[in-house]
Each structure stands twice: as C-alpha cells, then as structure tokens.
Amino acid sequence: MKYIKFLLTGVLLGIVFSKSEIISWYRIYEMFRFESFHMYGIIGSAVILGSLGIQFIKWKEFKSIE
Amino acid sequence: MQEFIYDPWPWYISGPLLTLVVFILLYSGKNFGLSGNFRTMCAIAGGSKFSNFFQFDWRAQKWNLVLLFGVMLGGFISANYLSNGEDLLLNPSTIVALESMGFHAPNGAYLPLEIFGTEALFSSWSGLILLFGGFLVGFGARYAGGCTSGHAISGLSELQIPSLIAVAGFFIGGLLMSHLFLPIIF
C-alpha cells in the first residue's frame, strides 16, 4: 500500500508526458530545429519553479535552525 | 473544460505539473529520475554476478519501478481516454524538413513509422539502428548518472553543475543528430 502514491504520481506524470506531447519524437525534432517554443517552455518553467521551490525549502530550514 | 482535457496541454500547464511531481517525490524523500530503473532492472536480472555496479540494495528502488509503471499506465489512459486523436500542430518548416528525409507528417502519431514501425524494426538496417540507439541510451544514461528527467528537471532545479554539463551534452548530441546524422542515415 505504501507504493500507491508512487503509482498515482507516475500516472500523473504519464498523462503530463503524453498530453503535452513531450514524448513525441516530432516535438523533440522540432525543438532541435528551434522551430517551436513548446519544449523550452516546459523544461524552462519546470526548472525555474523547481529551483525557486528548493531555494524556498532551504531558506525555511535555515530559519528553523536559527 | 472538456476542451481543455481533450486538447493538447500548453507548456505553462505541463511545466508546473512537472515541478509538482518533483516536489511530491522530494516530500517522500525521493529524487525524480526515470533511467535509474535501468540499473534496478539489471540488478534484478542478476547483473551483480557480472559487475559490482549492480551490487546495491535494489529493493530500496522499488518505488521508482512503481512510478515507471504508473507512467505507462498514465500514457495509456491519456492516449485512450483523454485524447481527441488530432494531429500534432508542428511548425510547417519542420514538416518540410521531415519530408526532405522521406518522412511523412505525423498523422496523429507520436513516433515516425519510418524509424519505429514494425516494418522498419524487421528490416536489417533500421533494426540495427534501433538496437544501437537503445545501447547508447542505456549506456549514456548510466555513464552520466541520469537522463533528461534526472539531470534536466531534478538536477537543474537543484542548481547542480554536473547536471548542467550533462544537459549541455544531451543538447549538443541532439543538435548533431537532428542536423547532421539524421539526414545522412535517412
């Protein structure tokens, strides 16, 4: 049962991969030809939000130690 | 609402959802990265008899196999129940470039049949390319310690310099393949 949250997270991830066409060979080819912003937008927004979130967690941990 | 579910999702929906997945996993004490499963599967198959690389506690990685199975299930759900089956809206100049290599426009597919179709699989030339490509994916992901999910999404979010180098490598490789090798091979 402790694995159910990983299964559900995986299902969410699979739906995101498929619905936003990240796994499409054609989208990846288009990205390497610099003919669409789509993939750059996905990776860029995921990384910017992710790094902001991680910095926020570190800052909160730092505060709690103080 | 219904249109939102069935139409392809824009980048500003998917990117934040990927971040959400990274944080769900971080909250559980796990790092997002799918290709680590290659190592786990090799260890389960008895790889430790051949290399120390596979002598690790793979049972601690079972969560990642479950995640991977969920990804496949999610892909199935998406393709069968959440899709309108419409064609990808590719940039017209991408389609021109594809046609110059003898590739058809996607026609609702995610992969070109010219490379991944059953017919291509059993023709010796394409079959060998697929086999060699699979080897490179497996070797490279382990040699670099991660793939696009682990290095580009998790690693860059954690501001890891090795991940930045790996992602630069992925990108150079992709550019070389798209612009130089693909037109030669096909």
Side-chain angles (χ1 to χ4, degrees):
Chain A
M1 269 321 274
K2 65 173 178 172
Y3 288 113
I4 191 103
K5 72 177 167 193
F6 295 114
L7 183 74
L8 293 177
T9 309
V11 169
L12 170 67
L13 191 58
I15 291 175
V16 172
F17 278 168
S18 172
K19 282 304 300 178
S20 53
E21 302 166 341
I22 306 173
I23 49 167
S24 164
W25 184 96
Y26 298 101
R27 280 267 176 260
I28 297 168
Y29 181 64
E30 186 187 44
M31 171 182 86
F32 284 124
R33 292 181 56 81
F34 302 102
E35 288 171 340
S36 165
F37 177 72
H38 185 73
M39 299 289 259
Y40 297 105
I42 292 172
I43 299 172
S45 61
V47 167
I48 289 169
L49 284 175
S51 58
L52 286 176
I54 287 170
Q55 293 308 310
F56 179 71
I57 292 171
K58 282 184 179 165
W59 177 75
K60 269 188 76 171
E61 278 173 358
F62 179 72
K63 283 272 169 190
S64 66
I65 294 167
E66 274 190 335
Chain B
M1 187 65 200
Q2 211 172 5
E3 277 163 22
F4 171 74
I5 292 174
Y6 291 103
D7 285 348
W9 293 352
W11 64 267
Y12 50 82
I13 301 289
S14 314
L17 282 176
L18 285 183
T19 309
L20 177 68
V21 168
V22 169
F23 279 102
I24 292 173
L25 293 178
L26 274 181
Y27 188 72
S28 311
K30 312 293 183 196
N31 271 314
F32 175 48
L34 290 171
S35 57
N37 284 310
F38 287 142
R39 189 182 181 202
T40 308
M41 286 187 251
C42 289
I44 292 174
S48 60
K49 284 176 221 142
F50 304 98
S51 165
N52 291 337
F53 182 68
F54 299 114
Q55 282 170 8
F56 69 104
D57 180 21
W58 59 263
R59 282 175 182 82
Q61 295 297 314
K62 270 196 280 186
W63 68 271
N64 210 346
L65 289 176
V66 174
L67 186 85
L68 184 65
F69 179 74
V71 169
M72 292 191 270
L73 199 62
F76 179 85
I77 292 169
S78 167
N80 287 283
Y81 304 108
L82 304 175
S83 166
N84 54 15
E86 273 175 31
D87 211 357
L88 295 180
L89 291 171
L90 280 184
N91 188 318
S93 42
T94 307
I95 295 178
V96 171
L98 284 169
E99 279 167 354
S100 72
M101 295 189 297
F103 284 34
H104 294 98
N107 269 330
Y110 271 27
L111 298 166
L113 293 177
E114 291 85 351
I115 303 179
F116 299 98
T118 324
E119 203 180 312
L121 184 63
F122 291 107
S123 86
S124 54
W125 173 237
S126 288
L128 280 177
I129 291 172
L130 285 177
L131 202 63
F132 183 60
F135 170 79
L136 288 180
V137 169
F139 178 82
R142 277 354 287 147
Y143 194 51
C147 61
T148 332
S149 59
H151 276 312
I153 306 290
S154 302
L156 287 187
S157 293
E158 289 166 28
L159 308 176
Q160 300 270 359
I161 298 296
S163 289
L164 185 65
I165 298 170
V167 173
F170 298 158
F171 203 78
I172 293 168
L175 288 176
L176 285 175
M177 191 67 212
S178 305
H179 294 273
L180 195 65
F181 297 125
L182 208 58
I184 296 175
I185 298 171
F186 290 95

